[in-house]
Amino acid sequence: MSLQKKNGVLNRLFMGLVFLFLYAPIFLLIVFSFNAGNSSVVWKGFSLHWYVELFQDRLIMQSIYTTLLVSLLATAIATVAGTFASIGFYAMRRRWRDPLMTVNSIPMMNADIVTGVSLCLLFVAVFGLWNEFAENYRLTFSLFGAVYRITFPRLTLGFGTLLIAHISFNIPYVILSVGPKLRQMDKNLVDAAQDLGCTWFQAFWKVILPEIMPGIVSGALIAFTMSVDDFVISYFTAGSATSTLAMAIYGMTKKRVSPEINAVSTLLFVTVLALLVIVNVREARAEKAAAAQRFD
Amino acid sequence: MKKNKRSLLAVPYVVWMALFVVAPIIMVVVYAFSTASGGFTLDNFTRMGTYTVIFTRSFKLALIATAVCLLIGYPLSYIMAREGPRFQRVGMMLIMLPMWVNFLLRTYSWMSILEKNGLINQFFSAIGLFDLINAVFGTNIEYFHMIGTQGAVVLGMVYNYLPFMILPIYSVIVKLDNSLLEAARDLGANSTAVFRKVIFPLSLPGILSGVTMVFVPSVSTFAISRLLGGGTQMLLGDLIEQQFLGGAYNPHLGSAIALVMMLIVIVCMWVMNHFGEGEEQAVML
């Protein structure tokens, strides 16, 4: 087996260098979150000052709140919608399914900036028409002798458009990870359940859902990651009043970045690292247990 | 529920796609071919000629970044695939982990490394490199100028998108059928020939999807060039951004450039589907 041959010192050194390249900036980011001074180059001693500042900074806390809210909502909606959509796609004929799957993959393939710009154009155009309508027309009617007047609200880019954009780019990832699970599922299972008296909904709840659960979970995880990490699409669809964490960071880089941002990213990094370690340890344990069972 | 009835479950999403995937693209096409007053025009495309410099710079930098990613990523994936399973698991985790730190933060961190009095320049001046150079060449430099150069932008692209190259290549190489390699060796091929005739051709789908996944975001980025290019290295992404949110507000020109960018993606996809069968798993990691 050629691929299992052990690596020499040079190969290992090369790997080490690449990892150094990948981690040096992140390491630096973390180190300088504990800096007493406000520079990200000159070390002035250890302090937790920036972590305290972080929790008192309303702008950053607000943007973290927006980021988490939009990511959680978009993930929840996209996961449910994507799961049903892939069950629907899977029941279709190829003639219908293939073109729809191509359209579905557009947001994944397109450059982020094109997705962002195209959604921005749509929102601005539709809102333009709506606002013109809202300015010129109002609903007037009289009821019990009193005259009521309903004015239509003006619409602008904001949290709503941000959420729509996030749902749109999340659903394809959910479908991409649920689809293969549906394909692997034994088709007779659903028929058998229904023959034994299940309604379709019961069959869905008790048979399909447990079978495709791993796909749904990984789809939701990918969607959440994509949402939290997204900058470009949010930048074009959130308008000027709403701001996600990534947008706040970008805004800061234009002037001066406060080390509070280092503190945020350190907290995020440590959380993700802890989650990954837990997941991996659990997986490794499960594998070991499975292997032990096999030898019993 | 019958099968064709079940397919109705997809209807809400099909409507959603029509509204928020297809309609926006139609908007881009309409804007690209129209003037501010609504008439048909090709001006937006001819006007792009003014920006030839930006087009060539974008392509040049994105191509260099893609090539560098391939040169680092392919050997790394290959070496990684030869390690034991536990090493591979940890290694792949380590490669994916940086992607969880927002790319703006990682790029910003490079700013503080490459700055005028950033870490690299501090290090060089501490070891007396600048004194040495000044003594030898009679120059008077105090730091290396790195921010604002094309090299810095390429570095940012490579740094941010390298995992996108490694993951698909690695997932193809690690799944290679060992019996094929043994057969090649039994039939008398030496290790160079095995690599050239078996391993490399079989890993081509991974390479193609890696190249696409690095090239497309590189050619369309605007934040990396803004941060590391110091505003002097405008790329296509910056140009589009300026037409929509920046000072040079002109969504018609911006749409035309976005349309060109879509064509680039379509070409990439076509190449990938044409030459790389079964690349889907690679894209899915």
Side-chain angles (χ1 to χ4, degrees), chain A residues 53-65 260:
Chain A
E53 289 274 291
L54 166 67
F55 288 103
Q56 288 164 352
D57 189 323
R58 284 206 41 210
L59 189 85
I60 295 182
M61 290 317 270
Q62 177 68 38
S63 65
I64 292 175
Y65 173 73
E260 290 164 38

Side-chain angles (χ1 to χ4, degrees), chain A residues 2-3 7 12 15 21-23 25 28 104 117 121 168 171 194 235 246 250 261 265 280 283 287, chain B residues 1 3 13 16 79 82-83 89 93-94 97 101 104-105 109 117 119 159 185 226 241 244 255:
Chain A
S2 87
L3 280 179
N7 283 310
R12 285 269 167 94
M15 246 190 293
F21 172 65
L22 284 176
Y23 280 92
L28 211 71
N104 176 56
V117 154
L121 268 184
S168 295
I171 293 180
Q194 281 177 305
Y235 184 66
Y250 184 69
I261 284 298
S265 44
N280 267 276
E283 254 176 39
E287 266 169 35
Chain B
M1 214 188 290
K3 207 176 177 190
Y13 180 52
W16 181 278
I79 295 170
R82 295 168 28 146
E83 292 287 349
R89 182 204 281 272
M93 209 181 85
L94 284 177
L97 191 58
V101 179
L104 288 168
L105 288 170
S109 188
N117 39 21
L119 285 186
Y159 181 73
R185 208 157 307 116
R226 185 74 50 83
E241 193 253 350
F244 283 93
S255 296

Side-chain angles (χ1 to χ4, degrees), chain B residues 158-195:
Chain B
V158 171
Y159 181 73
N160 279 299
Y161 305 129
L162 183 60
F164 293 152
M165 183 66 87
I166 296 174
L167 292 172
I169 296 180
Y170 167 79
S171 67
V172 170
I173 291 186
V174 89
K175 281 197 214 110
L176 280 187
D177 190 350
N178 267 311
S179 48
L180 281 177
L181 311 183
E182 277 162 24
R185 208 157 307 116
D186 288 347
L187 292 170
N190 58 13
S191 40
T192 330
V194 172
F195 179 78

Side-chain angles (χ1 to χ4, degrees), chain A residues 229-256:
Chain A
D229 203 46
D230 175 68
F231 161 66
V232 178
I233 297 174
S234 305
Y235 184 66
F236 284 101
T237 52
S240 48
T242 317
S243 164
T244 63
L245 183 61
M247 289 167 70
I249 297 168
Y250 184 69
M252 281 188 190
T253 53
K254 284 181 180 167
K255 296 165 270 166
R256 251 193 42 78

Side-chain angles (χ1 to χ4, degrees), chain A:
Chain A
M1 256 162 61
S2 87
L3 280 179
Q4 290 301 332
K5 232 189 283 167
K6 275 283 158 264
N7 283 310
V9 182
L10 272 179
N11 286 348
R12 285 269 167 94
L13 185 72
F14 173 70
M15 246 190 293
L17 281 177
V18 174
F19 281 121
L20 182 73
F21 172 65
L22 284 176
Y23 280 92
I26 295 175
F27 178 71
L28 211 71
L29 214 60
I30 293 177
V31 167
F32 278 95
S33 75
F34 297 109
N35 192 6
N38 64 359
S39 159
S40 52
V41 229
V42 189
W43 180 254
K44 290 248 174 71
F46 180 88
S47 123
L48 288 174
H49 173 65
W50 296 113
Y51 288 85
V52 179
E53 289 274 291
L54 166 67
F55 288 103
Q56 288 164 352
D57 189 323
R58 284 206 41 210
L59 189 85
I60 295 182
M61 290 317 270
Q62 177 68 38
S63 65
I64 292 175
Y65 173 73
T66 309
T67 308
L68 286 180
L69 190 67
V70 79
S71 307
L72 286 173
L73 279 176
T75 306
I77 297 170
T79 308
V80 175
T83 306
F84 282 113
S86 34
I87 293 175
F89 280 161
Y90 187 64
M92 275 177 197
R93 293 201 190 130
R94 277 195 79 104
R95 186 153 52 98
W96 288 99
R97 182 171 57 198
D98 288 351
L100 286 173
M101 286 305 275
T102 310
V103 177
N104 176 56
S105 66
I106 290 177
M108 286 187 292
M109 297 307 182
N110 235 340
D112 278 356
I113 194 170
V114 177
T115 308
V117 154
S118 64
L119 279 168
C120 173
L121 268 184
L122 178 83
F123 291 143
V124 169
V126 171
F127 288 178
L129 288 177
W130 168 263
N131 288 341
E132 204 179 286
F133 170 79
E135 254 166 47
N136 296 324
Y137 296 92
R138 44 189 62 76
L139 225 55
T140 333
F141 58 95
S142 58
L143 202 66
F144 306 122
V147 176
Y148 293 92
R149 178 171 290 161
I150 299 177
T151 46
F152 296 107
R154 285 183 60 86
L155 296 178
T156 48
L157 294 182
F159 189 81
T161 48
L162 182 68
L163 185 61
I164 290 178
H166 277 242
I167 294 171
S168 295
F169 74 72
N170 278 340
I171 293 180
Y173 291 100
V174 177
I175 292 181
L176 203 67
S177 65
V178 173
K181 291 282 169 227
L182 278 171
R183 221 172 299 143
Q184 284 166 16
M185 199 178 72
D186 188 348
K187 290 181 199 77
N188 298 319
L189 282 177
V190 186
D191 292 339
Q194 281 177 305
D195 284 348
L196 293 171
C198 275
T199 62
W200 185 83
F201 189 73
Q202 281 174 322
F204 166 75
W205 198 253
K206 298 203 164 157
V207 180
I208 301 184
L209 207 57
E211 283 279 317
I212 61 174
M213 209 44 175
I216 298 178
V217 171
S218 72
L221 278 178
I222 300 174
F224 186 72
T225 320
M226 288 291 166
S227 264
V228 172
D229 203 46
D230 175 68
F231 161 66
V232 178
I233 297 174
S234 305
Y235 184 66
F236 284 101
T237 52
S240 48
T242 317
S243 164
T244 63
L245 183 61
M247 289 167 70
I249 297 168
Y250 184 69
M252 281 188 190
T253 53
K254 284 181 180 167
K255 296 165 270 166
R256 251 193 42 78
V257 177
S258 151
E260 290 164 38
I261 284 298
N262 296 32
V264 185
S265 44
T266 305
L267 292 179
L268 283 175
F269 186 75
V270 171
T271 317
V272 170
L273 188 65
L275 281 176
L276 276 180
V277 168
I278 291 171
V279 168
N280 267 276
V281 167
R282 281 184 58 179
E283 254 176 39
R285 267 203 205 134
E287 266 169 35
K288 229 183 226 169
Q293 241 171 15
R294 229 175 291 140
F295 288 117
D296 273 349

Side-chain angles (χ1 to χ4, degrees), chain B residues 8 23 25 35 37 47 52 116 128 166 243 261 283:
Chain B
L8 292 179
I25 291 176
T35 57
S37 52
R47 200 130 41 103
T52 324
K116 192 165 90 179
I166 296 174
Q243 310 307 318
M261 209 166 262
V283 175

